[in-house]
Amino acid sequence: MPLASAASKKVGLFATCLVNTMRPRVGFAALKLLEEAGFEVAVPKEQTCCGQPNYNSGDRNGARAMAEHFLKTYEGFDYVVVPSGSCGAMVRVHYPKLFEEGDPLKPRMEALAGRTYELVSFLSDVVGIELAPAAAPLSVTYHDACSGLRELGIKAQPRALIGQKKCEVKEMEDAEVCCGFGGLFCVKYPEVSGEMVRRKSEAALASGADALVTGDVGCLLNMEGALLREGKEIKALHIAELLADMTE
């Protein structure tokens, strides 16, 4: 049962660094989906990085500063929606940990974290969106990005929405296994990361699908890059692009 009505509800779209700099079409696709669902959407120009690189490398003070800025930027919205499981999990799961008990900002941060959602989770679990079939349905294989799967419980939702588009899901082997990106992981351990993405790319190709789809741009760029370097022809899409019919 959907929890939200779009009537008079304002959504702040948190575009994320990689969407903004590397794959802006994902942001436009997310905006299209939210507006078509009836929400009033704003993309605050003051938004910055969520601070995940700081947090993962032990710089809690830097991450806390970014969390405070996020709170200032997005507290006035009914919902915050993020087309990324990793950035969504940073806000929803990890931001509250940066504030000690008794800190007057902690309950405010917890409240904002509670109404921050990854895009697919929001459309499926909160809105209960119904999508029109794609004009030219693709067969797709879906990569379960680590943060979305393990921290936010996103597994069935993308596959259900893909089904609404009348696209066939061809499951790859080890769909839940990391692609090797992992943010700083691929920088610190390039050889391990390279082998992981090689195996993931081979699994995607072996599925026989027309397109490789995932919900995190970092994973998408990592896998797409590996496929391009090998000269393999398979379309690589963020799920927002597929759901919004922006696949070309």
Side-chain angles (χ1 to χ4, degrees):
M1 177 68 68
L3 302 177
S5 167
S8 302
K9 296 292 186 179
K10 296 182 179 181
V11 168
L13 179 61
F14 181 39
T16 81
C17 300
L18 286 179
V19 169
N20 185 45
T21 59
M22 303 297 292
R23 193 91 166 199
R25 186 174 64 177
V26 173
F28 288 109
L31 177 66
K32 179 184 176 185
L33 290 165
L34 292 168
E35 288 185 337
E36 289 180 349
F39 291 91
E40 179 183 342
V41 186
V43 186
K45 64 180 180 180
E46 301 85 3
Q47 65 181 273
T48 63
C49 175
C50 68
Q52 186 179 171
N54 302 67
Y55 186 76
N56 290 344
S57 59
D59 177 21
R60 293 179 68 88
N61 289 335
R64 157 96 186 212
M66 292 184 185
E68 289 184 14
H69 182 75
F70 186 92
L71 181 65
K72 179 181 178 181
T73 303
Y74 284 98
E75 193 171 23
F77 291 98
D78 297 299
Y79 299 101
V80 181
V81 177
V82 192
S84 162
S86 59
C87 299
M90 181 64 198
V91 176
R92 192 171 174 89
V93 178
H94 300 291
Y95 269 7
K97 299 175 185 177
L98 294 168
F99 299 83
E100 300 291 337
E101 294 296 336
D103 187 326
L105 292 181
K106 187 176 181 65
R108 291 168 56 190
M109 189 69 254
E110 289 177 334
L112 181 57
R115 58 181 190 271
T116 298
Y117 293 88
E118 184 272 344
L119 175 67
V120 168
S121 176
F122 183 74
L123 295 175
S124 182
D125 302 332
V126 180
V127 179
I129 196 169
E130 295 184 4
L131 299 168
L138 301 169
S139 64
V140 307
T141 190
Y142 192 83
H143 164 66
D144 295 293
C146 294
S147 292
L149 174 67
R150 295 171 176 84
E151 295 186 292
L152 300 177
I154 298 168
K155 175 70 176 181
Q157 301 96 320
R159 290 166 172 81
L161 294 181
I162 290 169
Q164 288 188 24
K165 301 301 293 183
K166 302 303 181 185
C167 293
E168 178 188 2
V169 177
K170 295 184 174 181
E171 295 288 0
M172 73 175 89
E173 184 178 359
D174 295 327
E176 296 184 357
V177 172
C178 178
C179 73
F181 177 63
L184 295 176
F185 177 84
C186 67
V187 177
K188 294 174 68 176
Y189 306 103
E191 292 183 359
V192 177
S193 174
E195 178 62 16
M196 292 172 73
V197 74
R198 184 190 67 78
R199 294 184 182 186
K200 176 62 69 169
S201 300
E202 286 185 353
L205 288 170
S207 73
D210 299 319
L212 167 61
V213 179
T214 190
D216 257 293
V217 171
C219 302
L220 180 67
L221 294 174
N222 188 39
M223 295 183 294
E224 183 178 41
L227 290 164
L228 288 173
R229 287 191 295 273
E230 293 294 326
K232 306 300 184 183
E233 294 185 5
I234 178 173
K235 192 183 295 287
L237 298 168
H238 188 281
I239 189 167
E241 296 171 316
L242 180 71
L243 300 182
D245 297 311
M246 295 171 64
T247 60
E248 297 299 329

